[in-house]
Amino acid sequence: MYSSVIAVLSLSIFAFVTPSTTPNSASSAPHVLSKRTPWNLDQALKSDIKAALTIGLKDAISIAATVLHPTDGIDNKAKNDQYMTKYFGGNDDTMYKKVRNVFRNLVGTNSDGTGSEVLGTVTVYSDDWIIPPPGQGPGGGGDGNKRCCELVSNGLTLTAYTARRPRKSANWGMHFCRKWEARVAAGDSLSKLMADDCASLKDTTVMDTTLMNRQNYAFAILHEVFHIEEVTLSATGVKSADYAYGAWSVLEVAHGNITTNKTGVVRVVSPLENADNFAWFAMVSTLFPFSMLSPKTQVQSFKKNPCVGVATYTHTTDHNSIST
C-alpha cells in the first residue's frame, strides 16, 4: 500500500478549495463572456481554442452519455460488473447508484447532445487566474507567486484546472493550459485518435493508454467536469479531487492502494473522490473495452483489440435513441 498520494500529473488537473488570486494582475481584467450551449466561453479565448472546446465538450458528453445507454450502458451489469470493480472497487447496488447518478447529473436529458444544465454554470477563462499559496497546488509546489500552469511537479505541468471563481459571474471556472492548447494545435482530437481502428495507439502487442488521454483533448474536458460538485458531490456525498492520474493509477485507487494525509490523518482514498476514476471508467466501459495488463516499462497499456465507435446517445422524456 502506498503511503502517500500519487503526484504524477499525466493529465494534470486539480481543484482548489480556497484559491489565491491577484486582483491587480494584467490577466485579471474583466472579459466579455459569450454564452455557449451549455457552458460559457471567455471572448478572450482564441477562435481555434473556442472551436476545440466546443468539439471536445460534445465528444466528452457523448462518451458520458454512452455510459447511460439503455441496453449496453451501466445498467448492463453482466458487462459492467468488471469495470465497476476495476474503477470503483465494488459492484454492489449502492455503488452502481452513486456512479449512475454522477453520469445522470452530467448528461441530463442530453436533448441537444451537449449535456445537462449544470454545465451552464461553468465558464472557461483565458487567464490562468489561480496562484497557489506556498505548499499548495500540484505536488505542493505553490510559492505564492507562480500561477497554476507554471508549476512543475515530477517534471510535469498542468493541463487544466477547475475551481470556483466567486469574483466572476460563473459559479465554476475552468482554465486549459498551454499543454492542452498544444494538443489542439496538433489536432489530437477523439476522431483522430480513433481513425483507422485506433491505429495510432497500437504496437505489436498492446495499446498505449498514455496516448488515450494525451492525444485526445476531449479527455481533459471529460476529467474536468467531474470536479463540478453538482455532478459528483450531490451523487456520491464526497468532493472530487485529484489523488491519482492515469489508466493504471486509478486502478490502484480502486484497490485501496492510494492514501492521503491532507487533513493530517492518513486515510485511504475512495475512488468516488478521484476525478480520473470516473473519466477512465467512461472511456474504458464504452470506448476502449479492453482487459488491463500490467504496465510495460512504465507504459500503461491494454491488450490490443479493435476500438469501438463511441455512440452519441440521446435521451428525452419521449424516446431513447442511439447512433454511431
Side-chain angles (χ1 to χ4, degrees):
M1 182 177 292
Y2 296 111
S3 61
S4 62
V5 61
I6 285 183
V8 176
L9 299 174
S10 60
L11 184 56
S12 311
I13 301 114
F14 99 111
F16 291 96
V17 177
T18 308
S20 173
T21 62
T22 52
N24 296 320
S25 67
S27 63
S28 64
H31 298 301
V32 176
L33 299 177
S34 174
K35 183 69 178 72
R36 296 291 190 271
T37 302
W39 58 5
N40 304 283
L41 299 181
D42 191 332
Q43 281 282 28
L45 291 164
K46 296 180 292 185
S47 59
D48 60 329
I49 297 302
K50 287 181 182 179
L53 287 166
T54 300
I55 294 170
L57 178 63
K58 289 184 177 180
D59 285 344
I61 296 300
S62 290
I63 295 169
T66 307
V67 172
L68 299 175
H69 184 268
T71 59
D72 205 35
I74 193 170
D75 289 328
N76 183 341
K77 295 192 68 175
K79 169 192 170 185
N80 284 291
D81 274 356
Q82 60 175 323
Y83 299 124
M84 290 291 292
T85 300
K86 281 186 177 181
Y87 291 96
F88 298 105
N91 56 26
D92 57 84
D93 290 344
T94 299
M95 185 63 76
Y96 262 100
K97 180 179 180 181
K98 290 180 178 181
V99 174
R100 182 188 303 111
N101 284 342
V102 167
F103 284 91
R104 284 178 176 173
N105 288 344
L106 174 59
V107 174
T109 62
N110 199 35
S111 59
D112 60 357
T114 53
S116 74
E117 294 181 358
V118 168
L119 294 170
T121 68
V122 177
T123 296
V124 181
Y125 290 100
S126 64
D127 58 318
D128 179 9
W129 81 89
I130 293 182
I131 300 178
Q136 296 188 25
D143 60 5
N145 295 307
K146 292 182 180 178
R147 298 181 181 276
C148 272
C149 294
E150 298 173 327
L151 297 179
V152 178
S153 177
N154 290 344
L156 299 172
T157 56
L158 287 175
T159 301
Y161 61 84
T162 296
R164 293 192 183 275
R165 195 172 188 183
R167 295 185 182 183
K168 297 288 186 177
S169 60
N171 188 23
W172 291 97
M174 288 184 187
H175 176 70
F176 292 83
C177 304
R178 290 180 179 177
K179 178 186 287 186
W180 188 83
E181 293 186 1
R183 295 172 187 171
V184 172
D188 291 335
S189 64
L190 180 62
S191 59
K192 176 183 175 182
L193 183 75
M194 297 185 68
D196 299 323
D197 196 22
C198 297
S200 65
L201 296 176
K202 300 175 184 177
D203 63 19
T204 57
T205 58
V206 299
M207 295 190 72
D208 187 352
T209 62
T210 60
L211 303 181
M212 291 181 188
N213 55 3
R214 296 176 185 176
Q215 291 189 1
N216 172 16
Y217 58 69
F219 188 93
I221 297 173
L222 182 65
H223 175 112
E224 286 302 319
V225 295
F226 293 119
H227 283 305
I228 302 171
E229 290 179 5
E230 291 81 3
V231 172
T232 48
L233 175 62
S234 62
T236 66
V238 292
K239 289 186 177 181
S240 169
D242 291 318
Y243 296 98
Y245 305 86
W248 184 255
S249 295
V250 297
L251 301 184
E252 293 293 279
V253 175
H255 293 157
N257 292 334
I258 304 298
T259 62
T260 179
N261 60 355
K262 282 187 176 181
T263 61
V265 178
V266 177
R267 66 174 180 83
V268 175
V269 172
S270 165
L272 293 174
E273 61 181 328
N274 193 60
D276 226 27
N277 280 68
F278 290 99
W280 278 103
F281 168 77
M283 287 277 286
V284 173
S285 67
T286 66
L287 197 60
F288 302 105
F290 307 123
S291 299
M292 181 61 75
L293 290 175
S294 298
K296 139 184 120 158
T297 318
Q298 300 184 12
V299 174
Q300 298 159 350
S301 307
F302 289 107
K303 286 182 180 178
K304 182 179 178 181
N305 207 10
C307 64
V308 298
V310 64
T312 301
Y313 169 50
T314 301
H315 172 259
T316 70
T317 56
D318 299 323
H319 68 279
N320 295 321
S321 63
I322 186 165
S323 59
T324 55

